Amino acid sequence: MSQAGETSSLPWWKGATIYQIYPRSFRDSNGDGIGDLPGITERLPHIAELGIDAIWVSPFFKSPMKDFGYDVSDYAAVDPIFGGLDDFDAMVARSHELGLKVLIDQVYSHTSDEHEWFAESRSSRDNPKADWYVWADAKPEGSPPSNWQSVFGGPAWTWDARRGQYYLHNFLSSQPQLNLHNREVQDAVLGVMRFWLERGVDGFRIDALNFAMHDPQLRDNPPAPANGKARTRPFDFQIKKYNQSHPDIPEFIERIRSLTDEFDGIFTVAEVGGDDAVREMRLFTDGETHLNSAYSFNFLYADALTPELVCGSLAEWPDEERLGWPSWAFENHDAPRALSRWCEPHEREAFARLKALLLVSLRGNAIFYYGEELGLTQVDIPFDQLHDPEAIANWPLTLSRDGARTPMPWNDSACAGFGSTTPWLPFGEENRSRPVEAQRKDKDSLLNFTREAIALRKANPALHHGRVASCDHEGDLLVFSREAGGQRLECRFNLGSKLVSLDNCQGRVLMAINGASQSELPAHAAIITEISA
């Protein structure tokens, strides 16, 4: 089989490059300060030109926006600030015209407290949805049913006087936990998934999936030993043994897979965080009856990009039967921009190229976060302009997620082409200076380099979907090889700021960046060579 034929015979998502869009910040079509679905549709050609395979659109569902869409009040409706269902349909149609698949978020572990399901559930202890959420009696002295703590700070239980019980919420108190042990609740959320599949979506990113089920016995979590890191939340003091990661979650996932298999070419990827993420990701993607892929926070919260981190992460996903296909992201809506974490300001131009080339060289799907192709950095948001509930609650110890959610700069106009001069978050002057329009015209820009890197991945099966034959490191030098269909590539990256000499770097050079040659790698340089074809 030819190299092109080998790639084309795979599912579309295997080796895909995915572009995450945070709708509030991508493009504002009506000037209200908030990005929307028509704005996304307008700017889809930019994404297609990058060579991207699929877009992942963060929540746009009806919501009171206390956690900016991850608190859903109607799973089957578009929030008016983003448009309507017609706008969603138009976005899907235009995406497909451009050859882009469409993935959307699904939030099944919890809803908003404004969801009609919760309104009914809290109305009494004997209504038809009484057991759709996690309710429990107080302990004899009135304290919460267990010691579980919420991610955003404070107990994971809130008292509700109407029922005379506590309800569980692993996040905000306005995000009550669905009881997915209840088969009716599973049926309801699978009905939501079917609704969007029938509207033409090509897959789902499933939020906080390991929070989907709890221990019905409500046993207390054990204390977590100190790990040397600062503890800024009560959540950090516990091993999350009983409030998440229940062993029945994979059975629910089997029902998800059974549904998606009714449709053609559907891709599912789970977000899995926590201390036991690797084991859970493997369970969630086991064989052909579970999800296609999963990703954790290996890189998203890493303080530094090191060769040890890369080799360790790749080793978690060997090319073995039944083991799922990984997805990788260096940035997203919950994590600080990588260029602000991983390098000094004067190194950013070179490091951004290194980072982009590394992402497309890893075995697995590559997820780019909007603006990553421009080199956007973390914006320091003053307290009086914060929206992020976690940052507000833990100020100033929690870095605001808002700093990675700032508006996309499209041109050098007063509104940066975003569509409003007073957007919901400030642009950040440094990011204003890196707009799409200027970078598109500059052949040496990061935008154009990102396009070249994605094209390189697509043109080489070993890079696109091949196995990792080896991964080694010495000091700041990272060396790994990829193989597929008789092609072998060797990838060398200098993740440090000092020159590294190379030995035995052979083969045809496919790409060399930041002054790289087959004899040496200057600071943040990289070279990919083809050994056999």
PDB file of all heavy atoms in Angstrom, residues 103-128:
ATOM      1  N   LEU A 103     -16.638  18.768  16.198  1.00  0.00           N
ATOM      2  CA  LEU A 103     -16.770  18.145  17.516  1.00  0.00           C
ATOM      3  C   LEU A 103     -17.352  19.171  18.477  1.00  0.00           C
ATOM      4  O   LEU A 103     -17.025  20.360  18.392  1.00  0.00           O
ATOM      5  CB  LEU A 103     -15.404  17.691  18.048  1.00  0.00           C
ATOM      6  CG  LEU A 103     -14.478  16.934  17.096  1.00  0.00           C
ATOM      7  CD1 LEU A 103     -13.154  16.639  17.783  1.00  0.00           C
ATOM      8  CD2 LEU A 103     -15.132  15.654  16.611  1.00  0.00           C
ATOM      9  N   ILE A 104     -18.199  18.718  19.381  1.00  0.00           N
ATOM     10  CA  ILE A 104     -18.747  19.620  20.396  1.00  0.00           C
ATOM     11  C   ILE A 104     -18.573  19.005  21.772  1.00  0.00           C
ATOM     12  O   ILE A 104     -18.417  17.785  21.923  1.00  0.00           O
ATOM     13  CB  ILE A 104     -20.230  19.959  20.141  1.00  0.00           C
ATOM     14  CG1 ILE A 104     -21.117  18.707  20.260  1.00  0.00           C
ATOM     15  CG2 ILE A 104     -20.404  20.624  18.784  1.00  0.00           C
ATOM     16  CD1 ILE A 104     -22.615  19.017  20.204  1.00  0.00           C
ATOM     17  N   ASP A 105     -18.598  19.850  22.778  1.00  0.00           N
ATOM     18  CA  ASP A 105     -18.491  19.397  24.161  1.00  0.00           C
ATOM     19  C   ASP A 105     -19.783  18.736  24.617  1.00  0.00           C
ATOM     20  O   ASP A 105     -20.881  19.120  24.193  1.00  0.00           O
ATOM     21  CB  ASP A 105     -18.209  20.591  25.083  1.00  0.00           C
ATOM     22  CG  ASP A 105     -16.742  20.708  25.450  1.00  0.00           C
ATOM     23  OD1 ASP A 105     -16.238  19.778  26.086  1.00  0.00           O
ATOM     24  OD2 ASP A 105     -16.116  21.739  25.120  1.00  0.00           O
ATOM     25  N   GLN A 106     -19.634  17.757  25.492  1.00  0.00           N
ATOM     26  CA  GLN A 106     -20.768  17.207  26.219  1.00  0.00           C
ATOM     27  C   GLN A 106     -20.399  17.188  27.697  1.00  0.00           C
ATOM     28  O   GLN A 106     -19.320  16.702  28.066  1.00  0.00           O
ATOM     29  CB  GLN A 106     -21.115  15.806  25.741  1.00  0.00           C
ATOM     30  CG  GLN A 106     -21.591  15.735  24.301  1.00  0.00           C
ATOM     31  CD  GLN A 106     -23.007  16.270  24.109  1.00  0.00           C
ATOM     32  OE1 GLN A 106     -23.980  15.541  24.174  1.00  0.00           O
ATOM     33  NE2 GLN A 106     -23.122  17.573  23.858  1.00  0.00           N
ATOM     34  N   VAL A 107     -21.293  17.708  28.522  1.00  0.00           N
ATOM     35  CA  VAL A 107     -21.044  17.828  29.957  1.00  0.00           C
ATOM     36  C   VAL A 107     -22.078  16.956  30.670  1.00  0.00           C
ATOM     37  O   VAL A 107     -23.223  17.366  30.856  1.00  0.00           O
ATOM     38  CB  VAL A 107     -21.159  19.293  30.425  1.00  0.00           C
ATOM     39  CG1 VAL A 107     -20.715  19.427  31.886  1.00  0.00           C
ATOM     40  CG2 VAL A 107     -20.338  20.218  29.528  1.00  0.00           C
ATOM     41  N   TYR A 108     -21.679  15.751  31.021  1.00  0.00           N
ATOM     42  CA  TYR A 108     -22.629  14.784  31.568  1.00  0.00           C
ATOM     43  C   TYR A 108     -22.511  14.593  33.080  1.00  0.00           C
ATOM     44  O   TYR A 108     -23.369  13.953  33.678  1.00  0.00           O
ATOM     45  CB  TYR A 108     -22.432  13.412  30.905  1.00  0.00           C
ATOM     46  CG  TYR A 108     -22.806  13.369  29.444  1.00  0.00           C
ATOM     47  CD1 TYR A 108     -22.237  12.431  28.598  1.00  0.00           C
ATOM     48  CD2 TYR A 108     -23.736  14.261  28.904  1.00  0.00           C
ATOM     49  CE1 TYR A 108     -22.586  12.362  27.258  1.00  0.00           C
ATOM     50  CE2 TYR A 108     -24.080  14.201  27.562  1.00  0.00           C
ATOM     51  CZ  TYR A 108     -23.498  13.250  26.744  1.00  0.00           C
ATOM     52  OH  TYR A 108     -23.837  13.193  25.420  1.00  0.00           O
ATOM     53  N   SER A 109     -21.453  15.087  33.685  1.00  0.00           N
ATOM     54  CA  SER A 109     -21.307  14.854  35.120  1.00  0.00           C
ATOM     55  C   SER A 109     -22.222  15.755  35.942  1.00  0.00           C
ATOM     56  O   SER A 109     -22.584  15.414  37.063  1.00  0.00           O
ATOM     57  CB  SER A 109     -19.849  15.062  35.552  1.00  0.00           C
ATOM     58  OG  SER A 109     -19.451  16.405  35.362  1.00  0.00           O
ATOM     59  N   HIS A 110     -22.635  16.885  35.376  1.00  0.00           N
ATOM     60  CA  HIS A 110     -23.462  17.825  36.124  1.00  0.00           C
ATOM     61  C   HIS A 110     -24.241  18.725  35.165  1.00  0.00           C
ATOM     62  O   HIS A 110     -23.935  18.771  33.969  1.00  0.00           O
ATOM     63  CB  HIS A 110     -22.590  18.695  37.049  1.00  0.00           C
ATOM     64  CG  HIS A 110     -21.493  19.417  36.308  1.00  0.00           C
ATOM     65  ND1 HIS A 110     -20.219  18.907  36.187  1.00  0.00           N
ATOM     66  CD2 HIS A 110     -21.476  20.593  35.624  1.00  0.00           C
ATOM     67  CE1 HIS A 110     -19.474  19.734  35.480  1.00  0.00           C
ATOM     68  NE2 HIS A 110     -20.216  20.764  35.118  1.00  0.00           N
ATOM     69  N   THR A 111     -25.224  19.428  35.687  1.00  0.00           N
ATOM     70  CA  THR A 111     -25.951  20.449  34.934  1.00  0.00           C
ATOM     71  C   THR A 111     -25.885  21.756  35.713  1.00  0.00           C
ATOM     72  O   THR A 111     -25.293  21.833  36.790  1.00  0.00           O
ATOM     73  CB  THR A 111     -27.436  20.078  34.748  1.00  0.00           C
ATOM     74  OG1 THR A 111     -28.110  20.178  36.017  1.00  0.00           O
ATOM     75  CG2 THR A 111     -27.603  18.683  34.186  1.00  0.00           C
ATOM     76  N   SER A 112     -26.543  22.760  35.188  1.00  0.00           N
ATOM     77  CA  SER A 112     -26.806  23.978  35.952  1.00  0.00           C
ATOM     78  C   SER A 112     -27.943  23.713  36.933  1.00  0.00           C
ATOM     79  O   SER A 112     -28.807  22.864  36.696  1.00  0.00           O
ATOM     80  CB  SER A 112     -27.206  25.108  35.004  1.00  0.00           C
ATOM     81  OG  SER A 112     -27.796  26.175  35.719  1.00  0.00           O
ATOM     82  N   ASP A 113     -27.957  24.462  38.034  1.00  0.00           N
ATOM     83  CA  ASP A 113     -29.099  24.348  38.952  1.00  0.00           C
ATOM     84  C   ASP A 113     -30.355  24.986  38.363  1.00  0.00           C
ATOM     85  O   ASP A 113     -31.444  24.871  38.944  1.00  0.00           O
ATOM     86  CB  ASP A 113     -28.779  24.946  40.321  1.00  0.00           C
ATOM     87  CG  ASP A 113     -28.405  26.416  40.274  1.00  0.00           C
ATOM     88  OD1 ASP A 113     -28.356  27.010  39.168  1.00  0.00           O
ATOM     89  OD2 ASP A 113     -28.170  27.002  41.353  1.00  0.00           O
ATOM     90  N   GLU A 114     -30.231  25.622  37.185  1.00  0.00           N
ATOM     91  CA  GLU A 114     -31.393  26.176  36.498  1.00  0.00           C
ATOM     92  C   GLU A 114     -31.982  25.203  35.460  1.00  0.00           C
ATOM     93  O   GLU A 114     -32.959  25.543  34.790  1.00  0.00           O
ATOM     94  CB  GLU A 114     -31.024  27.500  35.825  1.00  0.00           C
ATOM     95  CG  GLU A 114     -30.633  28.583  36.825  1.00  0.00           C
ATOM     96  CD  GLU A 114     -30.354  29.931  36.180  1.00  0.00           C
ATOM     97  OE1 GLU A 114     -30.759  30.115  35.008  1.00  0.00           O
ATOM     98  OE2 GLU A 114     -29.730  30.781  36.833  1.00  0.00           O
ATOM     99  N   HIS A 115     -31.382  24.033  35.337  1.00  0.00           N
ATOM    100  CA  HIS A 115     -31.932  23.037  34.416  1.00  0.00           C
ATOM    101  C   HIS A 115     -33.285  22.563  34.942  1.00  0.00           C
ATOM    102  O   HIS A 115     -33.463  22.367  36.149  1.00  0.00           O
ATOM    103  CB  HIS A 115     -30.979  21.856  34.283  1.00  0.00           C
ATOM    104  CG  HIS A 115     -31.218  21.010  33.069  1.00  0.00           C
ATOM    105  ND1 HIS A 115     -32.367  20.246  32.907  1.00  0.00           N
ATOM    106  CD2 HIS A 115     -30.481  20.806  31.948  1.00  0.00           C
ATOM    107  CE1 HIS A 115     -32.305  19.620  31.746  1.00  0.00           C
ATOM    108  NE2 HIS A 115     -31.177  19.927  31.137  1.00  0.00           N
ATOM    109  N   GLU A 116     -34.235  22.324  34.038  1.00  0.00           N
ATOM    110  CA  GLU A 116     -35.568  21.885  34.464  1.00  0.00           C
ATOM    111  C   GLU A 116     -35.522  20.537  35.174  1.00  0.00           C
ATOM    112  O   GLU A 116     -36.360  20.252  36.036  1.00  0.00           O
ATOM    113  CB  GLU A 116     -36.516  21.831  33.270  1.00  0.00           C
ATOM    114  CG  GLU A 116     -36.127  20.856  32.181  1.00  0.00           C
ATOM    115  CD  GLU A 116     -37.122  20.820  31.029  1.00  0.00           C
ATOM    116  OE1 GLU A 116     -37.947  21.758  30.912  1.00  0.00           O
ATOM    117  OE2 GLU A 116     -37.078  19.843  30.246  1.00  0.00           O
ATOM    118  N   TRP A 117     -34.544  19.697  34.833  1.00  0.00           N
ATOM    119  CA  TRP A 117     -34.413  18.428  35.549  1.00  0.00           C
ATOM    120  C   TRP A 117     -34.165  18.674  37.036  1.00  0.00           C
ATOM    121  O   TRP A 117     -34.729  18.003  37.888  1.00  0.00           O
ATOM    122  CB  TRP A 117     -33.258  17.597  34.997  1.00  0.00           C
ATOM    123  CG  TRP A 117     -33.403  17.153  33.575  1.00  0.00           C
ATOM    124  CD1 TRP A 117     -34.531  17.215  32.801  1.00  0.00           C
ATOM    125  CD2 TRP A 117     -32.382  16.581  32.755  1.00  0.00           C
ATOM    126  NE1 TRP A 117     -34.272  16.716  31.552  1.00  0.00           N
ATOM    127  CE2 TRP A 117     -32.964  16.313  31.492  1.00  0.00           C
ATOM    128  CE3 TRP A 117     -31.038  16.266  32.967  1.00  0.00           C
ATOM    129  CZ2 TRP A 117     -32.221  15.749  30.444  1.00  0.00           C
ATOM    130  CZ3 TRP A 117     -30.309  15.700  31.936  1.00  0.00           C
ATOM    131  CH2 TRP A 117     -30.897  15.442  30.679  1.00  0.00           C
ATOM    132  N   PHE A 118     -33.282  19.619  37.338  1.00  0.00           N
ATOM    133  CA  PHE A 118     -32.958  19.874  38.744  1.00  0.00           C
ATOM    134  C   PHE A 118     -34.118  20.553  39.464  1.00  0.00           C
ATOM    135  O   PHE A 118     -34.381  20.269  40.634  1.00  0.00           O
ATOM    136  CB  PHE A 118     -31.698  20.721  38.859  1.00  0.00           C
ATOM    137  CG  PHE A 118     -31.199  20.861  40.277  1.00  0.00           C
ATOM    138  CD1 PHE A 118     -30.707  19.759  40.961  1.00  0.00           C
ATOM    139  CD2 PHE A 118     -31.227  22.085  40.926  1.00  0.00           C
ATOM    140  CE1 PHE A 118     -30.250  19.873  42.271  1.00  0.00           C
ATOM    141  CE2 PHE A 118     -30.780  22.216  42.235  1.00  0.00           C
ATOM    142  CZ  PHE A 118     -30.287  21.100  42.907  1.00  0.00           C
ATOM    143  N   ALA A 119     -34.801  21.449  38.766  1.00  0.00           N
ATOM    144  CA  ALA A 119     -35.967  22.107  39.384  1.00  0.00           C
ATOM    145  C   ALA A 119     -36.985  21.058  39.837  1.00  0.00           C
ATOM    146  O   ALA A 119     -37.553  21.155  40.940  1.00  0.00           O
ATOM    147  CB  ALA A 119     -36.601  23.079  38.396  1.00  0.00           C
ATOM    148  N   GLU A 120     -37.208  20.047  39.014  1.00  0.00           N
ATOM    149  CA  GLU A 120     -38.148  18.992  39.396  1.00  0.00           C
ATOM    150  C   GLU A 120     -37.560  18.120  40.499  1.00  0.00           C
ATOM    151  O   GLU A 120     -38.246  17.770  41.467  1.00  0.00           O
ATOM    152  CB  GLU A 120     -38.499  18.133  38.176  1.00  0.00           C
ATOM    153  CG  GLU A 120     -39.538  17.051  38.478  1.00  0.00           C
ATOM    154  CD  GLU A 120     -40.022  16.327  37.235  1.00  0.00           C
ATOM    155  OE1 GLU A 120     -39.639  16.738  36.111  1.00  0.00           O
ATOM    156  OE2 GLU A 120     -40.782  15.341  37.388  1.00  0.00           O
ATOM    157  N   SER A 121     -36.283  17.788  40.367  1.00  0.00           N
ATOM    158  CA  SER A 121     -35.668  16.892  41.331  1.00  0.00           C
ATOM    159  C   SER A 121     -35.678  17.458  42.745  1.00  0.00           C
ATOM    160  O   SER A 121     -35.919  16.736  43.720  1.00  0.00           O
ATOM    161  CB  SER A 121     -34.225  16.598  40.910  1.00  0.00           C
ATOM    162  OG  SER A 121     -33.624  15.637  41.751  1.00  0.00           O
ATOM    163  N   ARG A 122     -35.459  18.752  42.879  1.00  0.00           N
ATOM    164  CA  ARG A 122     -35.393  19.352  44.207  1.00  0.00           C
ATOM    165  C   ARG A 122     -36.772  19.670  44.787  1.00  0.00           C
ATOM    166  O   ARG A 122     -36.868  20.064  45.950  1.00  0.00           O
ATOM    167  CB  ARG A 122     -34.538  20.615  44.155  1.00  0.00           C
ATOM    168  CG  ARG A 122     -35.238  21.828  43.567  1.00  0.00           C
ATOM    169  CD  ARG A 122     -34.331  23.000  43.270  1.00  0.00           C
ATOM    170  NE  ARG A 122     -33.389  23.332  44.319  1.00  0.00           N
ATOM    171  CZ  ARG A 122     -32.535  24.365  44.255  1.00  0.00           C
ATOM    172  NH1 ARG A 122     -32.538  25.154  43.163  1.00  0.00           N
ATOM    173  NH2 ARG A 122     -31.713  24.609  45.230  1.00  0.00           N
ATOM    174  N   SER A 123     -37.821  19.509  43.999  1.00  0.00           N
ATOM    175  CA  SER A 123     -39.156  19.913  44.456  1.00  0.00           C
ATOM    176  C   SER A 123     -39.714  19.008  45.539  1.00  0.00           C
ATOM    177  O   SER A 123     -40.557  19.410  46.334  1.00  0.00           O
ATOM    178  CB  SER A 123     -40.126  19.973  43.274  1.00  0.00           C
ATOM    179  OG  SER A 123     -40.352  18.671  42.730  1.00  0.00           O
ATOM    180  N   SER A 124     -39.270  17.757  45.595  1.00  0.00           N
ATOM    181  CA  SER A 124     -39.752  16.816  46.604  1.00  0.00           C
ATOM    182  C   SER A 124     -38.874  15.584  46.578  1.00  0.00           C
ATOM    183  O   SER A 124     -38.026  15.430  45.691  1.00  0.00           O
ATOM    184  CB  SER A 124     -41.205  16.414  46.328  1.00  0.00           C
ATOM    185  OG  SER A 124     -41.279  15.610  45.155  1.00  0.00           O
ATOM    186  N   ARG A 125     -39.103  14.685  47.522  1.00  0.00           N
ATOM    187  CA  ARG A 125     -38.331  13.444  47.557  1.00  0.00           C
ATOM    188  C   ARG A 125     -39.009  12.301  46.791  1.00  0.00           C
ATOM    189  O   ARG A 125     -38.459  11.203  46.726  1.00  0.00           O
ATOM    190  CB  ARG A 125     -38.098  13.000  49.008  1.00  0.00           C
ATOM    191  CG  ARG A 125     -37.272  13.973  49.825  1.00  0.00           C
ATOM    192  CD  ARG A 125     -36.808  13.313  51.117  1.00  0.00           C
ATOM    193  NE  ARG A 125     -36.150  14.261  52.000  1.00  0.00           N
ATOM    194  CZ  ARG A 125     -35.462  13.920  53.088  1.00  0.00           C
ATOM    195  NH1 ARG A 125     -35.351  12.633  53.409  1.00  0.00           N
ATOM    196  NH2 ARG A 125     -34.899  14.836  53.856  1.00  0.00           N
ATOM    197  N   ASP A 126     -40.182  12.575  46.231  1.00  0.00           N
ATOM    198  CA  ASP A 126     -40.907  11.488  45.571  1.00  0.00           C
ATOM    199  C   ASP A 126     -41.397  11.852  44.172  1.00  0.00           C
ATOM    200  O   ASP A 126     -42.293  11.221  43.629  1.00  0.00           O
ATOM    201  CB  ASP A 126     -42.077  11.026  46.435  1.00  0.00           C
ATOM    202  CG  ASP A 126     -43.057  12.158  46.746  1.00  0.00           C
ATOM    203  OD1 ASP A 126     -42.851  13.293  46.251  1.00  0.00           O
ATOM    204  OD2 ASP A 126     -44.026  11.898  47.478  1.00  0.00           O
ATOM    205  N   ASN A 127     -40.795  12.892  43.558  1.00  0.00           N
ATOM    206  CA  ASN A 127     -41.193  13.245  42.192  1.00  0.00           C
ATOM    207  C   ASN A 127     -40.470  12.324  41.204  1.00  0.00           C
ATOM    208  O   ASN A 127     -39.523  11.617  41.564  1.00  0.00           O
ATOM    209  CB  ASN A 127     -40.874  14.724  41.922  1.00  0.00           C
ATOM    210  CG  ASN A 127     -39.380  15.001  41.882  1.00  0.00           C
ATOM    211  OD1 ASN A 127     -38.710  14.759  40.879  1.00  0.00           O
ATOM    212  ND2 ASN A 127     -38.834  15.492  43.007  1.00  0.00           N
ATOM    213  N   PRO A 128     -40.912  12.288  39.931  1.00  0.00           N
ATOM    214  CA  PRO A 128     -40.324  11.353  38.950  1.00  0.00           C
ATOM    215  C   PRO A 128     -38.810  11.519  38.753  1.00  0.00           C
ATOM    216  O   PRO A 128     -38.142  10.569  38.331  1.00  0.00           O
ATOM    217  CB  PRO A 128     -41.084  11.665  37.658  1.00  0.00           C
ATOM    218  CG  PRO A 128     -42.410  12.185  38.133  1.00  0.00           C
ATOM    219  CD  PRO A 128     -42.098  12.975  39.374  1.00  0.00           C
TER     220      PRO A 128
END
